[in-house]
Amino acid sequence: GFRQVYVPSVIAYHDRSTTKGFSANWTDYFKRIRERRKIPLFKRRLDWANVRFTIIKNDYIINILKDLPWIAVRECAVLGYALLFEPGILGALPRFFKLLPVMLARRRQVMAQARISHRDMHCWFTA
């Protein structure tokens, strides 16, 4: 029931309200557990899948390969966190793999219309 409007000049900021009060210290992840559990599991599963779909759909392969060591470390950390504290998130995996071919098809559409270089795109994923 929503109408989507594309306005390329708009800049959106996403307020991470469940984690904005915490520092970047790794021990603060333990403090976030209680706050994250307030978020419905369905939404946490969507968030998990959407982060990965965004990268798959929009980033250039060269950027993914260049950042692969950092991506792998983060994904291992996210998996470890999920296994220990939020195993329900892993219920997103069947849907993720079911939608992966759709996202790869969308990726082909997105990349066919890409107007910026991989260098310009890289700053959006590393900011």
Side-chain angles (χ1 to χ4, degrees):
F2 290 96
R3 183 174 150 232
Q4 295 181 15
V5 178
Y6 174 67
V7 182
S9 60
V10 170
I11 297 174
Y13 296 95
H14 184 233
D15 178 23
R16 289 278 189 184
S17 59
T18 58
T19 58
K20 71 179 179 181
F22 301 102
S23 72
N25 188 323
W26 71 271
T27 58
D28 287 335
Y29 283 99
F30 296 109
K31 297 175 187 174
R32 296 177 187 188
I33 295 168
R34 183 179 293 127
E35 292 301 313
R36 286 196 42 87
R37 287 191 178 149
K38 293 177 185 176
I39 301 169
L41 179 59
F42 178 74
K43 183 182 181 312
R44 287 182 281 151
R45 285 178 176 173
L46 287 176
D47 289 344
W48 181 90
N50 286 343
V51 167
R52 281 126 198 102
F53 284 147
T54 298
I55 295 168
I56 289 167
K57 208 172 66 169
N58 298 299
D59 203 3
Y60 286 88
I61 295 296
I62 191 166
N63 290 343
I64 294 171
L65 292 174
K66 184 167 49 170
D67 294 333
L68 196 56
W70 294 274
I71 293 170
V73 167
R74 184 175 191 284
E75 288 302 313
C76 286
V78 168
L79 178 61
Y81 176 87
L83 286 170
L84 290 172
F85 303 109
E86 297 187 47
I89 289 177
L90 300 177
L93 288 171
R95 179 180 171 271
F96 177 82
F97 287 112
K98 181 181 176 184
L99 290 176
L100 187 57
V102 174
M103 291 303 146
L104 292 172
R106 288 186 184 168
R107 174 189 172 75
R108 286 189 289 278
Q109 294 172 344
V110 167
M111 289 296 143
Q113 297 176 18
R115 294 188 176 150
I116 65 171
S117 72
H118 67 90
R119 288 180 189 90
D120 292 332
M121 180 61 83
H122 191 256
C123 73
W124 290 99
F125 284 99
T126 56

